[in-house]
Amino acid sequence: MRSWALAAVVVNAGITVTGAAVRLTGSGLGCPTWPRCTPDSFVPVAHPEISPINTAIEFGNRMLTFLVLAVAIACFLAALRLTPRRPALLKLAILQPAGVLTQALWGGLVVRSALNPVTVSVHFLVSIGMIAAACALYARSGEGDNPPQRLVHRDIRTLGFVLTGSVLALLVAGVVVTGTGPHSGDEAASRFSFDIETVARVHADLVWVAVGLTVALAFALHVTNAPGLARRAALILFLVELAQGVIGYVQYFLAVPAVLVGLHVLGSTLVWIATLRVVFLLRDRGPLPNSAGLNAAAVNAGKRVTSPSSP
């Protein structure tokens, strides 16, 4: 269960980045229709007005959806076969195939709207939601179902929630910047009418808020001698944010080259995953439900083996 949940985190993050690559290469309408690639074919065919490379990139990204769907179904089946069955994991697992189907339908709307920046932005944010669900599934599959017990002071855990909200706001601001900037995915695509410098500055301000909250959280965890895993996770988040910040400022001063924008999208998914990891490590739900039963069975088996009356 835990392995498939980790795979779900990886593939959802991966298709988020490859989706950005489709836009950055100008391949957003490489397949100009949906669900077909062209008006009369589900697979790429020569089209006089579309580059074969752009068509291959867009069609390839569509095919990756089936990989994400396969992992999503595997997550659901793994949760379904757990003994004892855990309803919490089953609910989280079913979000994966449901999310993939939602994304596929929404992707059709993105194409049919000619890459309207609103639909493209929502497409990315739904991916962020699916990554969050996969991270939750991964965390919950490695722990029990007891009520959550704080491993840190209440105010520190609250700070973790505030940090998560700030990172989510940062991601929303990021898609607004993207929807205003030059990489639309196709020459025919529309753009937000905001001033690019203004939205970029707002985005940068939110970066500093998130970094400041991360530093505060890392410091609070250190001085309160919080569990080592939580302290290391906060440090990793801070380092990922620093790398992401460097990429962001460099791409801004270099007039947002496509390669750096792609790395920035990768960085945004890593910041989100690292943030969620910190929050999940601030509480504990006890051992896995079957751990106690397995240990008891092992002890009883040992007693039977060592008992004088045993055959």
Side-chain angles (χ1 to χ4, degrees), residues 11 20 29 35 41 54 61 76 79 85 111 193 214-215 266 282 286 294 302 304:
V11 296
L29 295 178
S41 176
N54 290 342
N61 190 64
F76 176 70
R85 184 170 295 174
V111 172
S193 59
T214 301
V215 171
L266 172 61
L282 298 182
L294 289 175
R304 288 195 298 271

Side-chain angles (χ1 to χ4, degrees), residues 197-311:
E197 290 194 7
T198 300
V199 293
R201 287 195 179 101
V202 171
H203 181 61
D205 291 341
L206 289 173
V207 168
W208 285 111
V209 170
V211 171
L213 290 171
T214 301
V215 171
L217 178 61
F219 179 75
L221 292 173
H222 177 73
V223 298
T224 57
N225 197 30
L229 279 176
R231 283 181 284 154
R232 286 191 291 273
L235 177 59
I236 291 172
L237 171 60
F238 176 66
L239 294 176
V240 173
E241 288 175 340
L242 283 184
Q244 176 75 333
V246 169
I247 294 172
Y249 277 104
V250 171
Q251 74 169 5
Y252 178 79
F253 290 114
L254 293 181
V256 288
V259 173
L260 289 182
V261 175
L263 288 176
H264 202 54
V265 173
L266 172 61
S268 68
T269 61
L270 294 179
V271 168
W272 181 233
I273 292 170
T275 301
L276 295 173
R277 181 168 181 264
V278 172
V279 173
F280 280 118
L281 289 174
L282 298 182
R283 90 287 182 275
D284 180 63
R285 284 180 174 268
L288 289 170
N290 62 344
S291 296
L294 289 175
N295 291 337
V299 170
N300 290 334
K303 289 179 178 178
R304 288 195 298 271
V305 169
T306 57
S307 173
S309 58
S310 299

Side-chain angles (χ1 to χ4, degrees), residues 1 130 255:
M1 179 74 261
M130 288 187 63

Side-chain angles (χ1 to χ4, degrees), residues 16 19 52 105 115 216 279 284 289:
T16 302
L105 294 173
L115 308 184
V279 173
D284 180 63

Side-chain angles (χ1 to χ4, degrees), residues 1 73-87 89-91 93-94 137:
M1 179 74 261
I73 293 173
C75 284
F76 176 70
L77 293 177
L80 197 63
R81 295 181 61 190
L82 280 178
T83 304
R85 184 170 295 174
R86 300 176 60 189
L89 289 190
L90 199 58
K91 292 176 183 177
I94 202 170
L137 181 61

